């Protein structure tokens, strides 16, 4: 698991940290000073300030949750992420999510995909650890029911031996909708819940969850990141009505509450985030290009920033906001900034890979490494 972030012991007082951690201390102090508008520390006021429906200060959140590059840390402590996705049709989506996690600052990024997708994803990048373990119906259709169950047990066994090591899973980018594969993935979700491993559900993972809402109901460590279609299907299924743009924030809050307090990041012109209590929006300017794959960057980003934000929980002076919400705000803010930068460079030819190339520079601009 990740190590604890350095703890600050109060405003106006710098504790004796290493040079690398003192910059993070300073950043967090500046965040608190801004949040409190120069007043003394007063937690109820801080909680109120963070809990009303409002545009989030994504840059401040990014400064707060991003850990310093501490030479004392070892590999893995900045995050171990696993993407469950990648099938015959889709190899780009899991790659985008997994490589984005690394480019933002995670130490290790795994992909669990089908056997066909694995060599392709490996060929995109040697940085990713690729497990060719998932099976689709076409490869097991000749088997008896008993043998199919054995295949499923084998898939689960392969994921099980890694599960506890992960700080967060991203379930769904490029997963496809094959029934046998989705049944295995629903069991992987149960496994993650058993070990209290947080997961972000995106893409076809949302198709699965919308049809089996119990998979995430009342699991506080689930973040759903629906796009316009995925959100529409969720609203229809859970609230039994149509999307109401006039009352978008209230409807999102109700939806998150109805699913038992999971966090939902509704993607769109403004990204809206709610856990059934607060609603935050991130509207900073991104890019007018809507090329496929930007949601995959976002899901990988949420996994990393959420893992980092969870470490702040043990910091008595850290923001009172829910880490899942902080993770969503940070990922949305960074993606939009990187998309904007990529667009200034590439204009109409801006692609998802160009945005991924801008993640580092965009984060560096907000939160310098040294
Ligand atoms: N480079 C890549 O590899 C990328 C891969 N990507 C991956 O693509 C997957 C789908 O994501 P998406 O964003 O296209 O879903 P969405 O907006 O609901 O669908 C639009 C329309 O298409 C249809 N439809 C979709 N999937 C279907 C299926 N399996 N079988 C049948 N119909 C399907 C859908 O129909 P409906 O659900 O309404 O019946 C809707 O009308 C997901 O795994 C994502 O991660 C993306 O991340 C982009 C980059
Ligand atoms: N109309 C818009 N204006 C500005 N930004 C947008 C708009 N729509 C989406 N975005 C941004 O693009 C990101 C990806 O959202 P999008 O709706 O494209 O996801 P998606 O359809 O799941 O993408 P993917 O192709 O990866 O599956 C969101 O976080 C949001 O910041
Ligand atoms: Mg998507």
């Amino acid at each position: 698991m990740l190590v604890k972030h350095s703890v600050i012991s109060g405003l106006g007082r710098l504790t004796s940290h290493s040079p690398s951690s003192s910059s993070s201390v300073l950043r967090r102090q500046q965040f608190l000073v801004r949040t409190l508008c120069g007043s003394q520390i007063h937690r109820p006021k801080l909680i109120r300030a963070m809990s009303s429906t409002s545009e989030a200060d994504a840059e401040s959140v990014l400064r707060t949750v991003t850990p310093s590059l501490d030479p004392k840390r070892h590999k893995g402590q900045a995050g171990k992420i696993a993407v469950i996705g990648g099938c015959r049709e889709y190899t780009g989506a899991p790659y985008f999510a997994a490589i984005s996690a690394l480019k933002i600052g995670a130490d290790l990024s795994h992909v669990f995909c089908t056997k066909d997708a694995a060599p392709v994803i490996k060929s995109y990048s040697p940085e990713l650890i690729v497990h060719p373990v998932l099976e689709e119906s076409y490869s097991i259709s000749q088997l008896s029911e008993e043998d199919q169950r054995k295949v499923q047990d084998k898939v689960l066994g392969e994921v099980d031996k890694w599960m506890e090591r992960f700080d967060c899973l991203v379930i769904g980018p490029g997963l496809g909708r094959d029934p046998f594969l989705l049944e295995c993935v629903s069991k992987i979700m149960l496994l993650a819940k058993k070990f209290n491993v947080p997961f972000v559900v995106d893409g076809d993972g949302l198709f699965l969850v919308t049809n089996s809402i119990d998979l995430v109901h009342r699991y506080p460590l689930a973040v759903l990141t629906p796009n316009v279609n995925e959100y529409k299907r969720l609203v229809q299924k859970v609230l039994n009505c149509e999307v109401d743009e006039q009352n978008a924030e209230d409807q999102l809050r109700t939806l998150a509450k109805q699913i038992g307090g999971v966090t939902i990041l509704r993607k769109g012109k403004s990204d809206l985030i709610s856990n059934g209590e607060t609603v935050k929006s991130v509207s900073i300017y991104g890019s007018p290009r809507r090329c496929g794959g930007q949601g995959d960057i976002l899901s990988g980003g949420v996994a990393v920033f959420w893992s980092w934000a969870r470490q702040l929980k043990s910091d008595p002076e850290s923001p009172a906001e829910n880490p899942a919400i902080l993770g969503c705000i940070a990922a949305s803010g960074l993606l939009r900034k990187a998309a904007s930068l990529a667009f200034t460079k590439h204009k109409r030819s801006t692609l998802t890979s160009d945005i991924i190339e801008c993640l580092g520079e965009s984060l560096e601009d907000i939160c310098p490494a040294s």
Side-chain angles (χ1 to χ4, degrees), residues 189-200:
M189 281 188 188
L190 297 179
L191 203 59
K193 283 161 72 174
K194 186 175 126 194
F195 289 115
N196 277 321
V197 175
F199 54 75
V200 179

Side-chain angles (χ1 to χ4, degrees), residues 90-93 96 172-177 203-204 227 229-230 233 292-293 296:
Y90 307 124
T91 53
F96 292 144
L175 199 54
R177 295 185 184 177
D204 297 312
N227 68 10
N229 289 324
E230 292 150 357
R233 288 193 287 265
D296 305 316

Side-chain angles (χ1 to χ4, degrees), residues 227 267-269 271 287 290 292-296 298 335-336:
N227 68 10
K267 295 177 284 194
K269 191 157 180 289
D271 289 338
S287 143
R290 299 270 64 80
Q294 294 181 62
D296 305 316
L298 185 77
L335 167 61
R336 281 164 176 261

